[in-house]
Amino acid sequence: MHQRHHILAATLMLFGTACQGRQDTGQPTVDDICANETRVDEQLLDDPRVTPDGAFIVTLIQAEPDPPEKATNTWGFSITTIQGDPIPDASLQLTPVMPDHGHGTSPKHFAAVYDDASDLYLVDGFSLSMAGFWEVTATVANNTEPGSEQADTAFESAEIVFALCVSG
């Protein structure tokens, strides 16, 4: 009987050591990856970004949750002229992609709806389904009617990329 206790104790010690070894794999956790990720934007909110053609400014004004999470997210954007006048006739679409994984989300694109009360383009209910590095491309298209005030600064479309890391 005494020998059985020694065998059982030795087995439990060996099993405990093996389990402990599996917990510390030496691989960084997702939170470590985000803490060390150098490709993320230093600031997402209230960071005006000029379209490549210099015609408009796109600014992420609100994000729920903030910072973005591995969950359903809602973002609100302003689109203005360089002079700061709101552009209510544009369209905005988000395309979230994990470039390191080679995939995006389903659905692939999320369209914004213009909110007259806030002058914001709201993208509601897009999911960042995994922890890690994401690039969210905002594609802005000008739907301004010819002859309007903004028609002289018209462009077909422009892309602004928001780079972030989602903890998990």
Side-chain angles (χ1 to χ4, degrees):
M1 181 90 138
H2 186 67
Q3 188 177 18
R4 278 189 181 168
H5 286 278
H6 286 294
I7 292 172
L8 179 59
T11 303
L12 289 173
M13 286 176 56
L14 182 61
F15 180 73
T17 303
C19 287
Q20 184 179 9
R22 277 190 232 135
Q23 289 174 349
D24 185 16
T25 63
Q27 296 295 318
T29 66
V30 173
D31 291 333
D32 291 339
I33 291 169
C34 286
N36 297 319
E37 180 58 67
T38 59
R39 298 171 291 175
V40 298
D41 293 333
E42 288 184 29
Q43 181 176 341
L44 287 177
L45 288 175
D46 300 318
D47 181 24
R49 300 174 189 216
V50 178
T51 56
D53 62 0
F56 293 97
I57 299 172
V58 178
T59 307
L60 178 59
I61 299 293
Q62 65 185 40
E64 292 293 329
D66 179 25
E69 294 179 0
K70 187 175 83 171
T72 301
N73 292 263
T74 299
W75 285 6
F77 294 86
S78 72
I79 302 173
T80 65
T81 64
I82 293 299
Q83 295 78 24
D85 299 321
I87 304 293
D89 298 325
S91 63
L92 184 138
Q93 171 181 279
L94 292 186
T95 307
V97 173
M98 290 190 88
D100 297 341
H101 294 238
H103 66 77
T105 58
S106 180
K108 185 176 181 178
H109 307 289
F110 298 88
V113 174
Y114 183 72
D115 178 56
D116 289 318
S118 65
D119 283 330
L120 294 181
Y121 290 83
L122 302 175
V123 183
D124 189 24
F126 73 96
S127 179
L128 300 175
S129 57
M130 292 179 66
F133 177 71
W134 286 87
E135 289 181 342
V136 180
T137 301
T139 303
V140 182
N142 185 5
N143 300 326
T144 302
E145 293 294 321
S148 71
E149 252 181 63
Q150 289 86 23
D152 59 339
T153 56
F155 64 98
E156 288 185 31
S157 69
E159 293 183 345
I160 306 280
V161 177
F162 296 86
L164 58 124
C165 195
V166 173
S167 295

